[in-house]
Amino acid sequence: MDVYGDDYPVELQPFGFVTRTDLERIAGLLEMPAGGLLVDVGCGRGGPGVAVARTAGARLLGLDVVASAIEGAPALAASLGLPDAEFRQGSFTGTGVSSGSADAVMSIDVLWMVLNKPAAMTETARILRPGARFVFTTWEPAYLDHTKLLAKAGLVVDLREETPAWHDRQRSVYERVLAATDALSAELGPGAEVIFAEARDTPPVLGGTPRLLIAAHKP
């Protein structure tokens, strides 16, 4: 994606607005032990989680609520050098992961779609071992305070920052989507309308909805 230049990790087949800079920052913030279990919630095709797990020397469990999203994840993980990565269906509110078994949890651009965010935070806290971190990116509208949601789930926020250049990059992506409606419609079919609607409706509210990187830990 030329809006992002070399910072876009095309080989990871990401879904969303993640960058190499984001992934390097996430890997550093997770502070997990080598060989520990990293759970990536909302993993999609799995590429970003694979990249972070490789950097951290971790075992990866990728979860996504959509079965079709993870169909190609094992093959992609193997091609990226992590053939033992595991992928299965699971959601933010129902991971199916044992309590206290995760050495870290990550999520990229997914939490904003979860309707019951308090339940998602509680589930994340349940699966983390004491001292382990939850690191994620999401958008925060004015009416929402992720710090308070995390605190209510028993998690302590260590960092909350806007991701680099997120506003200009996201706006540029939407402009290019709307300039290529014919080509995208031919490629994606009726499903392209969802993308077009987002590209039309989101720019006016971007200024008050920052894309954040948040890190928290379980005491």
Side-chain angles (χ1 to χ4, degrees):
M1 188 181 293
D2 53 4
V3 168
Y4 290 79
D6 292 339
D7 206 24
Y8 185 71
V10 62
E11 75 282 2
L12 303 180
Q13 300 181 24
F15 179 80
F17 296 90
V18 71
T19 65
R20 297 186 196 280
T21 300
D22 290 339
L23 295 174
E24 291 168 4
R25 186 84 169 113
I26 290 168
L29 288 169
L30 287 173
E31 297 183 351
M32 60 184 305
L37 175 63
L38 170 62
V39 179
D40 179 11
V41 186
C43 66
R45 300 182 187 96
V50 168
V52 172
R54 281 187 323 197
T55 300
R59 295 176 290 122
L60 177 65
L61 170 60
L63 304 175
D64 202 285
V65 70
V66 181
S68 60
I70 56 175
E71 284 180 356
L76 178 61
S79 73
L80 294 170
L82 203 69
D84 295 330
E86 181 183 352
F87 300 93
R88 63 183 189 225
Q89 271 190 280
S91 71
F92 245 123
T93 56
T95 62
V97 177
S98 299
S99 297
S101 63
D103 294 291
V105 175
M106 64 174 280
S107 183
I108 295 173
D109 296 352
V110 171
L111 188 59
W112 70 276
M113 293 184 286
V114 178
L115 295 178
N116 193 341
K117 291 179 177 59
M121 300 300 188
T122 298
E123 175 70 354
T124 300
R126 181 188 68 79
I127 69 174
L128 285 170
R129 64 164 175 78
R133 271 188 163 178
F134 173 34
V135 181
F136 63 99
T137 60
T138 192
W139 289 266
E140 186 173 272
Y143 63 83
L144 185 63
D145 187 336
H146 288 93
T147 297
K148 290 182 179 179
L149 289 174
L150 289 160
K152 287 181 179 179
L155 300 175
V156 179
V157 173
D158 302 302
L159 175 141
R160 177 186 179 278
E161 64 185 24
E162 292 190 23
T163 56
W166 71 271
H167 186 277
D168 290 343
R169 284 173 164 176
Q170 197 168 335
R171 182 177 287 278
S172 294
V173 168
Y174 289 144
E175 289 173 351
R176 293 180 184 226
V177 165
L178 294 176
T181 53
D182 290 344
L184 289 172
S185 293
E187 179 181 351
L188 302 175
E193 184 52 42
V194 176
I195 298 173
F196 300 151
E198 178 182 343
R200 287 192 302 267
D201 299 341
T202 303
V205 302
L206 275 182
T209 313
R211 183 175 183 267
L212 300 179
L213 172 65
I214 299 175
H217 74 274
K218 180 177 180 177

